[in-house]
Amino acid sequence: MLIVSAGEVRQILADREDAVLDAVRRAYVLHARGRTVLPHSVFLRFPEDARNRIIGLPAYLGDDSPVAGMKWISSFPGNIDRGLARASAAIVVNSMADGHPVALIEGSTISARRTAASAALAAGALAPPAVGVSLIGCGVINFEVLRFLRAALPGLTEVTLFDLDAGRAAAFARRCARWDLKVSVAADVEEALGAHPLVCLATTAGVPHLGLAHCRPGALVLHLSLRDIFPADIRTAVNVVDDADHVCRAATSLHLAEQESGDRDFIAAGIGEILGGAGWRHDPERVTVYSPFGLGVLDLAVAELVRRAAERDGVGTRLPDFLTLPPEDPDAD
C-alpha cells in the first residue's frame, strides 16, 4: 500500500494544471462513452445535524489501464469558523488485476482541483473566451477555479469577488496578488453576478438563494455548489450537466426544478458529449448554467495521475505488510 500525504499530493500536482485538465477531460469523455461504472454517491448524515455530512463516491474508470476506487469526503462548514478546512478527504485506489487496494491518497487537494478543472473545461467549451470572472464564495474551491481558469483561458485578466464574509473576500484578493490580475470586491452579490459574462458559484449554501436576473445576457454560470440558484431560474436557463441522474438528487437546484416541472427537459446537454466532439452552440441571449455533480471518476482519474507520479518519483510511504497475509500452509513445517 502506497500512502501519499497532502503535502506530497501538492508537490506532485504543482504547476501541472494541464495534466489535471487532460485527466478530467478524458474521464468525462470515457463516461459519456459508457466506459465507466458510477454508482450513486452515499450521503452519511447525522441525527439533529443537517449541516455536516460525509459522502462516499465509488467509481470505475475503464480504458487500457482500468482502475477502481472510492473517495470518502467530509464537509463540515463550521470548521471554517475554527480556522480549519471545510472539507477533508481520502481516496482509495484499487488494482483491477487482483482487487487489492494499492494506494491511500489524501483527497481534499485532488477533490478541489478536479472540481476546478471541470469548471475550467466548461468555461472553455460552453461560451466565448472570457476576460473576466466573478467568483462568488471566497474559499478553497474558487481559488482553485481561478488557478485553472488562468490555465484554460490565458486571456483572463479581471476578477470580481464576493463573499458574505468581507474579511474572506479581502484575504482572497490578497492571495491573488501572485498573479497579474485586476481584482475588485463587489459590494453585494447582485453586483458580482453582473460584473462579467463568466460567474462561478462555490458556496456552502444548503438551499437556493439566488436568481439569475442580474446576470448579463449570454452569461455562463458555473454552478459548482449546486444549491444556489432558484429552481424557476434553472428551468429558464440553458442547462449543461455532467450526469443528469447524479445531479438531479440530494435536493440540488436541478433536483428541485425536476420536482417542480415533473421532467428533465430543462437539461440541454452533458459536458462529456460536448468535450468528446458533439456540437454545441452558445446562446448569446440566455444564461447558460453548468451544474456538475462532481463524479467520482474525476477523483479517480486525478488520483491515478498522482499515484503513477508517486511510484515513478519515489514519493510517499509504502507499507509492505498492509494487506492480509496469505493463509498459512497447514502442511508446511
Side-chain angles (χ1 to χ4, degrees):
M1 169 71 82
L2 175 67
I3 300 177
V4 187
S5 70
E8 291 164 337
V9 171
R10 294 190 187 101
Q11 172 190 336
I12 289 169
L13 294 182
D15 301 318
R16 298 197 68 192
E17 286 80 19
D18 287 345
V20 175
L21 286 165
D22 287 344
V24 170
R25 180 192 298 274
R26 171 178 166 271
Y28 271 143
V29 172
L30 288 172
H31 181 61
R33 294 175 179 172
R35 301 289 299 278
T36 66
V37 179
L38 200 62
H40 279 309
S41 305
V42 176
F43 285 73
L44 177 63
R45 299 188 183 273
F46 312 102
E48 300 178 3
D49 181 1
R51 196 177 187 201
N52 298 323
R53 64 182 187 267
I54 306 177
I55 308 173
L57 292 86
Y60 163 80
L61 184 63
D63 203 7
D64 295 336
S65 300
V67 63
M70 180 169 179
K71 179 174 75 170
W72 185 241
I73 182 166
S74 69
S75 175
F76 279 54
N79 283 354
I80 295 172
D81 297 331
R82 298 194 293 271
L84 302 173
R86 174 188 62 84
S88 59
I91 299 173
V92 176
V93 179
N94 292 76
S95 164
M96 287 305 300
D98 55 20
H100 288 179
V102 294
L104 176 64
I105 304 173
E106 194 280 332
S108 62
T109 298
I110 289 172
S111 187
R113 296 196 183 186
R114 65 82 152 146
T115 301
S118 171
L121 288 169
L126 301 180
V131 298
V133 61
S134 293
L135 302 177
I136 298 174
C138 294
V140 171
I141 297 299
N142 257 340
F143 192 80
E144 293 298 336
V145 167
L146 184 56
R147 184 197 307 275
F148 277 82
L149 285 175
R150 292 184 68 251
L153 304 176
L156 193 76
T157 59
E158 299 179 23
V159 182
T160 298
L161 307 174
F162 177 76
D163 195 285
L164 291 175
D165 184 335
R168 282 169 59 81
F172 193 109
R174 290 192 294 272
R175 292 185 69 194
C176 292
R178 70 184 69 185
W179 296 316
D180 185 19
L181 295 168
K182 179 182 177 182
V183 182
S184 61
V185 177
D188 51 43
V189 70
E190 290 80 11
E191 179 185 340
L193 286 170
H196 302 287
L198 179 61
V199 178
C200 188
L201 301 171
T203 76
T204 58
V207 295
H209 60 103
L210 284 179
L212 300 174
H214 290 88
C215 293
R216 297 185 183 187
L220 171 61
V221 178
L222 306 172
H223 185 208
L224 303 187
S225 33
L226 294 177
R227 296 169 179 84
D228 296 279
I229 301 173
F230 294 130
D233 290 72
I234 287 289
R235 295 201 308 271
T236 61
V238 179
N239 289 280
V240 178
V241 302
D242 52 3
D243 186 294
D245 286 338
H246 285 260
V247 80
C248 290
R249 63 191 297 260
T252 65
S253 293
L254 282 83
H255 186 199
L256 299 178
E258 179 188 26
Q259 291 177 328
E260 291 183 2
S261 65
D263 57 47
R264 298 177 182 175
D265 293 346
F266 54 86
I267 296 177
I271 191 66
E273 289 82 1
I274 294 170
L275 294 175
W280 174 255
R281 180 175 295 179
H282 172 251
D283 190 327
E285 300 300 325
R286 297 169 64 197
V287 174
T288 298
V289 176
Y290 175 58
S291 299
F293 187 77
L295 306 180
V297 289
L298 308 186
D299 300 286
L300 197 55
V302 180
E304 182 66 356
L305 173 69
V306 169
R307 186 193 68 80
R308 292 187 179 190
E311 294 276 11
R312 182 192 66 221
D313 300 335
V315 175
T317 301
R318 182 166 291 282
L319 296 181
D321 58 352
F322 177 81
L323 294 173
T324 302
L325 295 173
E328 293 185 5
D329 185 348
D331 297 326
D333 292 334

